[in-house]
Amino acid sequence: NAGVTQTPKFQVLKTGQSMTLQCAQDMNHNSMYWYRQDPGMGLRLIYYSASEGTTDKGEVPNGYNVSRLNKREFSLRLESAAPSQTSVYFCASRLAGVSEQFFGPGTRLTVL
Amino acid sequence: KQEVTQIPAALSVPEGENLVLNCSFTDSAIYNLQWFRQDPGKGLTSLLLIQSSQREQTSGRLNASLDKSSGRSTLYIAASQPGDSATYLCAGGGTSYGKLTFGQGTILTVHP
């Protein structure tokens, strides 16, 4: 049981490049989330998926898109990366009816 | 909009001391309150979850309380150890979708 896994662990992009951050969970959880963590700002919700087939915006969705590929996988895409998107990105999941969220190890992204 | 504040921002204590970390939130219509631990460069580990109908939860040397009327939660750590050194984050859940609003964390250092 791997829990929540994220790939890649580290990534460096140039301004304007695109990339997709992958997240998968093997706990049969219904809800999945993407957060970003920045110094002095704490963790902020980017997008979430309450259940398979649904996605919704969080606090800071601009510049991102998401896809809930199936119940296990929830990806985050940066179409045209900007230096302001340099951050640590965390994926989390939760079983509906049980509120505890479980987090992945994070992806450290630098945009030059 | 829910806002979560953690005080102090940093705390240094000698080994063996009992300590309290504080978390305050602005919206008393909180769905749940979750405490996490984060080690440097790592993801978040869930410590305790308190549902809105509960007043406290305990796990080993940790005890978390929730007082919705005053907008406060506390994390009590008994007999602290150097291995407890980490950043502690609290997060308030505002809806049944599990969206969390995070505080900025308290950096705890326990020195031998």
Side-chain angles (χ1 to χ4, degrees):
Chain A
N1 190 335
V4 180
T5 57
Q6 294 182 236
T7 56
K9 286 186 169 53
F10 301 92
Q11 184 71 49
V12 178
L13 294 177
K14 295 180 180 178
T15 297
Q17 288 185 317
S18 63
M19 78 161 294
T20 299
L21 281 64
Q22 306 287 353
C23 174
Q25 52 88 13
D26 62 1
M27 298 176 283
N28 201 34
H29 284 177
N30 302 90
S31 303
M32 298 184 74
Y33 310 84
W34 278 106
Y35 295 88
R36 59 178 289 173
Q37 185 176 35
D38 303 291
M41 301 294 292
L43 279 96
R44 293 176 292 169
L45 181 65
I46 305 171
Y47 270 94
Y48 69 100
S49 171
S51 61
E52 185 179 359
T54 69
T55 61
D56 220 331
K57 296 178 181 179
E59 183 184 354
V60 288
N62 291 346
Y64 305 95
N65 286 300
V66 290
S67 295
R68 182 74 183 268
L69 305 171
N70 47 55
K71 191 171 185 179
R72 291 186 64 249
E73 299 171 292
F74 188 38
S75 62
L76 179 72
R77 182 162 179 84
L78 287 70
E79 290 291 352
S80 179
S84 61
Q85 295 178 305
T86 294
S87 187
V88 182
Y89 291 86
F90 289 102
C91 177
S93 70
R94 184 189 76 125
L95 183 65
V98 176
S99 300
E100 190 175 15
Q101 283 193 27
F102 294 89
F103 280 71
T107 294
R108 283 148 185 80
L109 175 67
T110 301
V111 182
L112 302 175
Chain B
K1 178 186 173 185
Q2 181 73 270
E3 293 182 4
V4 179
T5 304
Q6 292 185 247
I7 295 174
L11 182 63
S12 180
V13 300
E15 181 177 5
E17 191 163 298
N18 302 325
L19 58 99
V20 174
L21 305 181
N22 296 296
C23 173
S24 61
F25 47 91
T26 56
D27 187 353
S28 62
I30 198 165
Y31 198 75
N32 57 63
L33 194 293
Q34 195 167 352
W35 282 93
F36 295 90
R37 169 186 172 135
Q38 186 175 29
D39 293 291
K42 303 294 186 182
L44 280 69
T45 300
S46 178
L47 297 174
L48 289 165
L49 169 72
I50 311 175
Q51 302 284 7
S52 61
S53 58
Q54 299 172 323
R55 292 194 64 85
E56 65 177 275
Q57 283 286 338
T58 299
S59 176
R61 293 183 295 109
L62 305 179
N63 176 275
S65 67
L66 176 64
D67 185 342
K68 290 177 59 179
S69 62
S70 67
R72 292 182 182 177
S73 176
T74 61
L75 179 66
Y76 174 83
I77 302 177
S80 58
Q81 304 170 357
D84 294 330
S85 298
T87 297
Y88 290 80
L89 298 159
C90 70
T95 73
S96 60
Y97 293 127
K99 295 185 292 181
L100 294 176
T101 300
F102 281 83
Q104 298 208 15
T106 294
I107 302 171
L108 174 66
T109 303
V110 181
H111 48 87

